[in-house]
Amino acid sequence: MNDAGITIESNNKQFDQRFYNRELSLLKFNHRVLAQAEDPQVPLLERLKFLCIVSSNMDEFFEVRVGGLKQKLKLNTSNLNIDGRTTRELAEQVNADAHQLIQKQYAVLNQQLLPDLQQHGIRLKKSEDLDSFEKDWLHDYFVEQVLPILSPIALDPARPFPMLLNKALNFIVRIDGKDAYKRKTNLAIIPIPRSLPRVIGIPSDDEMVFVTLATVIRLFRDLIFPGITIESCHSFRVTRNSDLFLDDEEVDDLLRAVKGKLVTRHYGEAVRLETSSDFPHDIQTYLLELFHLDESDLFKVDGPINMHRLMHLYELCDRPELKYPAFKASMPNALSHQEDYFSVIAERDVLVHHPYQSFATVLEFMRQAAVDPGVLAIKQTLYRTEVDSPVIDALVKAAQNGKEVTVIVELMARFDEARNVELADHLYAAGVHVLYGVVGFKTHAKACLVLRQEEDQLRRYAHLGTGNYHPGTARMYTDYGIFTSNEKITKDLNQLFLQLSSLAPDPDNEILLQAPFFMFNEFLKRIKKCEKAARAGNPSRIIAKINSLTEPNIIEALYKASQAGVKIQLIVRGICCLRARVPGLSENIEVRSIVGRYLEHTRVYYFDYGSKNEDGDKN
């Protein structure tokens, strides 16, 4: 790959080098996460955690991105991708890059992390490494805790191959013998129950010894089929297309439609088959045909299938010296020890930066709103959170206290749909007015508006943030939040909630930029202002910190601004379809990706026009 020109050559074909493909860029992001697992400066168990995160990310990549590519191939769509690749060319490149990434992932596990863990007295043993005591202990554990839960399925004409759950671990067993009815039996499936722990600790005096559940089941497989000879026993897992799709024109009840789709999510079309490295070739061929997959969709791995389950090893190891030091978030001075947030916010805006500053500020704001007798109404958006959360407790408490509580629950938050359906039902039962967003669009705003009666006026207070109202992710994601009573901001926010609830057209906002109505055009407008300033000889600059950058028109505008001399600094965590530092195209654009202890999640935009613009504002 050569960043020096306008085209890129791959397999003797020229591709448009103005853009980088989003799927390929997402794989590059996972390479950056994997680099954290290789970094000796990162604490050892944290390196294992990064390795597990890569596994989880790749599961979602196959469920959504690869699943989408396979759907396009099935429909034989002819549209070219952003970089000029056909869908088939892209699918082939994605497959090759994914194989390379996963192969490297297991090499890091086997050649770096497991040996390093062993040096620190933490061992993940294979069956051949177990001593007699460990085998005896595991035998008792298997008989008492595992065997009663298992439900092996022998395959015969009355019991064809079962419909296996998405990402569920299974064993396929080749057996030589006859069943209880004197019939010849060849194959059986052992689904591994998700309720069982995937990593098991074995008592030890001098080391921390662990085995995977798959190792235990394979070790004592004979006890599952008494009286039958087992010739082989191998693990495998199938990944399925899990992206929910709703036809906007056919949806008359969004909640019911989402509930209906959730039933079938675990049984979508297969997109990937993972097997152990010693998997028999004939059974491999059988499974590929069964799942309608090509050999390129097969991933034979040298280690535990579904490496994400090794996250339990991180949790089970009480070794603080091998983890990041504990971090205690601070409280912003303005809100520290304040029993009345509203009096503070009435006087000034308060900016908070999570997780460095505590998310408890948000929870306390909501708690005070729920019990304050002056508060008449609360309006809030929810994208990701948990039913058992102080956020939900505050909303329920407010409704019980007679306040008007309206919540916009985004049912189509990817992979949180089931939780959000449960959340919506819970809030509705508590007397909260629950709305479900807008069909065809995602309500992705993170906002809470409080309306409070103060003497002879109704005053509005708000919290706006880049993160979700989720106390758990607030400890892992970097996000900004602002508490404000600014009249213009809170008026716009009230208009936003009215627009979401009434679907009124053309929201008339003064400060807030709302997508899909104003934000895109305003960004283009500001980029062009910077370009114009630079062409006029004024120093001009753009800084943006974002999750991803995929919109072609924005990228083209940034290229033009760069060519005009605008200095552009982009901090893009994940997908970036823009190519930086290409001579004649993007020489003035710098792109960085920050990957570390916390997931970078803030979105910040800065435009410097170099001199006062026509509105009298410099920036």
Side-chain angles (χ1 to χ4, degrees):
M1 186 177 299
N2 178 13
D3 286 343
I6 301 303
T7 59
I8 185 169
E9 188 171 307
S10 178
N11 296 327
N12 299 319
K13 179 172 180 178
Q14 301 268 314
F15 294 123
D16 185 350
Q17 197 179 332
R18 292 176 304 153
F19 303 103
Y20 200 82
N21 183 271
R22 64 180 299 165
E23 278 77 16
L24 299 179
S25 179
L26 187 52
L27 287 170
K28 291 290 186 184
F29 166 70
N30 281 294
H31 272 287
R32 296 195 291 274
V33 179
L34 181 58
Q36 296 293 303
E38 297 180 273
D39 187 351
Q41 301 300 315
V42 175
L44 184 55
L45 286 171
E46 302 294 345
R47 292 168 62 191
L48 177 66
K49 191 174 182 178
F50 278 113
L51 199 72
C52 294
I53 291 171
V54 173
S55 183
S56 178
N57 288 349
M58 290 303 293
D59 281 352
E60 182 174 337
F61 180 81
F62 276 93
E63 291 175 284
V64 178
R65 302 295 183 187
V66 175
L69 285 174
K70 286 186 174 292
Q71 286 275 41
K72 289 180 181 179
L73 287 172
K74 188 176 180 179
L75 296 173
N76 198 27
T77 58
S78 58
N79 294 339
L80 295 179
N81 290 276
I82 191 172
D83 60 348
R85 284 181 167 87
T86 66
T87 300
R88 183 163 300 281
E89 289 168 338
L90 176 58
E92 290 173 354
Q93 189 62 56
V94 162
N95 189 284
D97 288 3
H99 271 90
Q100 181 186 43
L101 174 61
I102 292 173
Q103 184 179 19
K104 183 177 180 181
Q105 183 188 11
Y106 278 88
V108 171
L109 175 68
N110 293 318
Q111 299 170 20
Q112 298 182 37
L113 295 188
L114 291 182
D116 288 352
L117 286 167
Q118 185 171 336
Q119 288 184 2
H120 286 83
I122 301 171
R123 298 193 64 184
L124 182 67
K125 287 194 171 186
K126 299 179 180 179
S127 56
E128 58 267 26
D129 299 326
L130 296 168
D131 60 32
S132 57
F133 166 80
E134 292 165 342
K135 288 182 179 178
D136 290 342
W137 188 92
L138 286 173
H139 175 274
D140 293 341
Y141 177 86
F142 177 80
V143 171
E144 295 171 6
Q145 301 291 328
V146 179
L147 185 57
I149 308 297
L150 299 179
S151 296
I153 304 169
L155 305 183
D156 64 19
R159 286 172 292 188
F161 199 95
M163 178 61 77
L164 302 178
L165 282 172
N166 176 42
K167 299 186 297 183
L169 185 64
N170 302 272
F171 277 97
I172 188 163
V173 181
R174 195 200 307 270
I175 51 185
D176 181 18
K178 295 183 178 181
D179 63 20
Y181 304 96
K182 310 301 181 185
R183 296 174 301 186
K184 179 69 175 177
T185 305
N186 294 316
L187 293 176
I189 300 295
I190 308 175
I192 308 304
R194 296 187 173 190
S195 58
L196 295 174
R198 292 302 174 87
V199 176
I200 301 152
I202 303 174
S204 176
D205 294 331
D206 53 355
E207 288 185 314
M208 302 183 75
V209 180
F210 302 93
V211 293
T212 65
L213 178 62
T215 297
V216 177
I217 292 175
R218 191 172 184 180
L219 182 62
F220 300 108
R221 57 190 180 271
D222 291 338
L223 300 180
I224 306 173
F225 300 94
I228 298 178
T229 302
I230 297 178
E231 294 184 348
S232 65
C233 178
H234 299 277
S235 55
F236 73 96
R237 186 174 75 135
V238 61
T239 308
R240 300 182 181 276
N241 186 339
S242 300
D243 202 17
L244 292 186
F245 173 78
L246 297 176
D247 189 332
D248 302 349
E249 297 181 357
E250 296 181 1
V251 173
D252 56 6
D253 185 329
L254 183 60
L255 181 63
R256 185 176 62 186
V258 171
K259 285 182 177 179
K261 286 288 185 179
L262 287 173
V263 174
T264 59
R265 158 170 277 177
H266 295 303
Y267 302 102
E269 292 187 0
V271 296
R272 173 180 61 167
L273 175 65
E274 295 170 279
T275 71
S276 56
S277 57
D278 59 350
F279 208 82
H281 185 268
D282 61 329
I283 301 181
Q284 164 190 308
T285 302
Y286 165 66
L287 291 180
L288 288 173
E289 292 176 355
L290 185 72
F291 295 128
H292 305 291
L293 295 173
D294 298 327
E295 192 161 341
S296 61
D297 301 313
L298 172 68
F299 289 75
K300 301 183 79 167
V301 299
D302 184 18
I305 296 176
N306 188 6
M307 200 183 295
H308 182 65
R309 294 291 188 173
L310 294 184
M311 190 72 80
H312 295 301
L313 189 63
Y314 175 93
E315 297 162 356
L316 290 169
C317 288
D318 185 18
R319 298 288 296 276
E321 75 277 14
L322 300 180
K323 300 181 180 181
Y324 285 126
F327 178 79
K328 184 177 180 180
S330 65
M331 292 290 288
N333 292 334
L335 298 176
S336 182
H337 307 296
Q338 290 291 336
E339 296 182 2
D340 182 5
Y341 275 26
F342 298 110
S343 63
V344 175
I345 301 169
E347 295 181 359
R348 55 173 291 188
D349 294 346
V350 180
L351 180 70
V352 289
H353 188 191
H354 309 303
Y356 310 105
Q357 292 176 305
S358 177
F359 189 72
T361 52
V362 179
L363 302 179
E364 180 62 14
F365 173 73
M366 297 187 64
R367 189 199 67 80
Q368 290 187 20
V371 300
D372 189 309
V375 171
L376 304 182
I378 300 173
K379 301 180 182 183
Q380 180 148 357
T381 59
L382 290 178
Y383 189 75
R384 298 188 198 276
T385 192
E386 296 177 332
V387 175
D388 184 18
S389 161
V391 173
I392 305 307
D393 291 344
L395 293 170
V396 169
K397 184 70 172 178
Q400 292 172 343
N401 286 340
K403 306 179 192 306
E404 291 295 314
V405 182
T406 302
V407 177
I408 314 291
V409 177
E410 179 47 67
L411 296 180
M412 294 298 289
R414 181 172 288 155
F415 296 116
D416 271 337
E417 295 93 344
R419 182 181 290 117
N420 284 359
V421 165
E422 181 185 3
L423 171 66
D425 289 342
H426 178 72
L427 290 171
Y428 181 80
V432 174
H433 302 298
V434 180
L435 304 175
Y436 306 117
V438 182
V439 177
F441 298 88
K442 283 189 178 182
T443 304
H444 202 249
K446 286 82 175 184
C448 177
L449 180 67
V450 175
L451 294 98
R452 188 173 188 252
Q453 186 69 46
E454 297 179 358
E455 298 178 353
D456 60 345
Q457 68 171 335
L458 186 66
R459 188 160 190 173
R460 292 182 288 254
Y461 296 84
H463 171 265
L464 293 164
T466 62
N468 301 299
Y469 288 100
H470 193 303
T473 57
R475 293 190 293 270
M476 299 180 291
Y477 291 12
T478 67
D479 278 301
Y480 285 128
I482 186 171
F483 298 98
T484 184
S485 62
N486 179 285
E487 181 61 28
K488 292 181 179 180
I489 294 176
T490 57
K491 180 182 176 182
D492 282 358
L493 187 56
N494 194 57
Q495 287 293 115
L496 170 64
F497 278 105
L498 289 175
Q499 196 275 330
L500 287 172
S501 60
S502 68
L503 301 184
D506 300 327
D508 185 19
N509 291 348
E510 188 172 354
I511 291 183
L512 296 184
L513 300 179
Q514 181 184 352
F517 303 104
F518 307 117
M519 186 177 291
F520 177 76
N521 288 334
E522 184 64 26
F523 279 3
L524 285 178
K525 177 183 174 183
R526 296 191 181 204
I527 294 170
K528 289 177 180 177
K529 277 186 178 181
C530 289
E531 178 192 346
K532 182 179 179 181
R535 293 191 187 281
N538 295 316
S540 183
R541 188 180 186 191
I542 297 172
I543 305 174
K545 188 172 186 293
I546 49 182
N547 280 0
S548 60
L549 178 59
T550 61
E551 170 54 49
N553 290 322
I554 295 288
I555 294 173
E556 291 279 19
L558 290 171
Y559 285 156
K560 289 180 181 178
S562 169
Q563 292 160 21
V566 180
K567 300 299 181 183
I568 302 172
Q569 294 174 294
L570 304 176
I571 305 167
V572 187
R573 185 193 75 205
I575 301 170
C576 183
C577 296
L578 177 147
R579 290 185 179 273
R581 302 297 193 189
V582 177
L585 180 70
S586 56
E587 292 169 281
N588 290 311
I589 303 179
E590 175 186 286
V591 179
R592 297 191 180 200
S593 175
I594 301 174
V595 180
R597 177 174 184 174
Y598 301 116
L599 186 73
E600 296 295 320
H601 199 247
T602 51
R603 287 86 150 177
V604 187
Y605 309 92
Y606 172 84
F607 300 90
D608 182 352
Y609 309 125
S611 62
K612 288 186 177 181
N613 60 29
E614 61 266 31
D615 300 322
D617 297 326
K618 182 179 179 182
N619 299 322

